[in-house]
């Protein structure tokens, strides 16, 4: 085997990006403090082809240099908006038929691999690095998604946890929709 | 549902950490430039309960403050060593019966979900942020693992890609070994 050269890797171009059918997942990025984490979440979201990122609360927006440093241009390829209130955003998504999943450790965990066809369209909530997903959002949540932690620590970096979760969710969606890979 | 309090989350304590049977995966972290990325890789490796991290080439080691900032103590809970030569390390692992997988986009991709029982014990190679896994290591590799990228960009952050890959690999190992979850 040999490595593919940059230009050999098939990817969407700017035109296709506006026409492609995105995975029916909106990600609510609420009160994420680190611009590096938000930038990494943008970069991962380009790869996962989610329909939208909604940045809420104190989560930084793409005009910040720190975010651009880790987003590496993905702030231009992933649809996004900023909304002050995560709660109002979530209520509106629910009115529009979205199921809600929070990346959070709770008394009723669901594995990221267990999402079936009825979970979509889905709003995935990612919360603050220290305090996690807000209680008022958790109260509106259908699934609390948990990544099994086998070691001595209680958590993962939020951008890493999001990466693991979103790729499992995209895989579950594509499987349920009969799409290859 | 409600969030679990910190002390309610079951985790290994310091004593158990030395007795527990770790997942038979050694991770070769070669020429990773960013200390933040190496720290995040430590934190994820605690959660994935890998047997060892081998840091090679220019990859920074845990005495660096930048690494500690993102490792959040995982440098104390994950066995690790530093070796100057990734190639010698890889040859020694192969002599000891390890299969080799590289996280790299090549002409012969394998999905991270496709690893079966015969792939273990496994050495997973993670390479430089810009140039990826070195050709001389790739030449000794059995599987080039690829994460499907559906967007306009050609890559993921290395710590995020590692997180996605290692949790898929751990899941595949546990499934092949008949362990729950």
């Amino acid at each position: 085997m040999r490595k593919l050269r940059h230009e050999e890797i098939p990817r969407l171009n700017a035109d296709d990006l506006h026409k492609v059918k995105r995975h029916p997942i909106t990600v609510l990025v609420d009160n994420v403090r680190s611009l590096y984490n938000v930038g990494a979440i943008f970069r991962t979201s380009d790869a996962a082809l989610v329909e939208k990122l909604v940045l809420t609360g104190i989560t930084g927006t793409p005009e910040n240099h720190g975010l651009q440093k880790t987003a590496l241009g993905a702030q231009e390829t992933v649809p996004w908006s900023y909304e002050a209130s995560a709660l109002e955003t979530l209520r509106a998504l629910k009115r529009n038929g979205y199921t809600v999943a929070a990346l959070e450790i709770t008394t009723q965990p669901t594995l990221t691999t267990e999402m079936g066809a009825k979970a979509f369209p889905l709003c995935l909530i990612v919360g603050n690095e220290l305090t996690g997903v807000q209680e008022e959002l958790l109260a509106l949540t259908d699934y609390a998604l948990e990544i099994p932690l086998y070691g001595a620590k209680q958590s993962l970096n939020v951008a890493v946890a999001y990466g693991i979760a979103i790729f499992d969710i995209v895989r579950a969606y594509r499987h349920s929709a009969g799409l290859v890979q």
Side-chain angles (χ1 to χ4, degrees), chain A:
Chain A
M1 68 179 81
R2 65 166 179 83
K3 278 194 247 191
L4 291 188
R5 290 183 298 274
H6 196 72
E7 66 276 13
E8 289 180 303
I9 304 174
R11 293 293 174 259
L12 294 177
N13 63 34
D15 271 0
D16 295 340
L17 204 58
H18 297 290
K19 295 178 210 152
V20 71
K21 189 169 156 29
R22 292 175 171 273
H23 298 128
I25 306 160
T26 284
V27 184
L28 210 158
V29 186
D30 184 46
N31 286 338
V32 172
R33 189 180 49 85
S34 157
L35 291 170
Y36 292 168
N37 282 336
V38 183
I41 288 170
F42 263 94
R43 190 173 172 192
T44 302
S45 298
D46 171 87
L49 202 65
V50 303
E51 60 187 9
K52 190 174 182 183
L53 291 184
V54 184
L55 315 173
T56 57
I58 68 162
T59 301
T61 49
E63 69 273 16
N64 288 287
H65 180 68
L67 187 155
Q68 293 164 23
K69 218 176 141 172
T70 52
L72 296 181
Q75 72 276 16
E76 309 291 340
T77 64
V78 179
W80 68 272
S81 68
Y82 175 81
E83 305 290 340
S85 169
L87 187 59
E88 287 310 309
T89 304
L90 190 58
R91 283 181 178 148
L93 285 165
K94 280 179 78 89
R95 280 195 299 272
N96 287 325
Y98 279 70
T99 298
V100 181
L103 197 51
E104 186 57 80
I105 300 172
T106 73
T107 50
Q108 289 173 50
T110 299
L111 290 174
T112 51
T113 45
E114 292 172 341
M115 305 301 275
K118 69 182 171 57
F120 301 95
L122 181 73
C123 171
L124 174 65
I125 311 173
V126 176
N128 180 264
E129 287 91 338
L130 288 177
T131 58
V133 174
Q134 296 188 61
E135 295 286 357
E136 64 180 13
L137 304 180
L138 210 54
L140 298 178
T141 289
D142 302 296
Y143 303 98
L145 298 181
E146 191 167 316
I147 296 162
L149 304 178
Y150 300 106
K153 303 293 171 184
Q154 264 87 353
S155 66
L156 289 165
N157 165 274
V158 66
V160 173
Y162 170 66
I164 296 167
I166 198 69
F167 271 88
D168 280 343
I169 293 169
V170 164
R171 190 184 294 144
Y173 170 72
R174 293 180 71 87
H175 182 75
S176 76
L179 298 166
V180 288
Q181 218 186 73

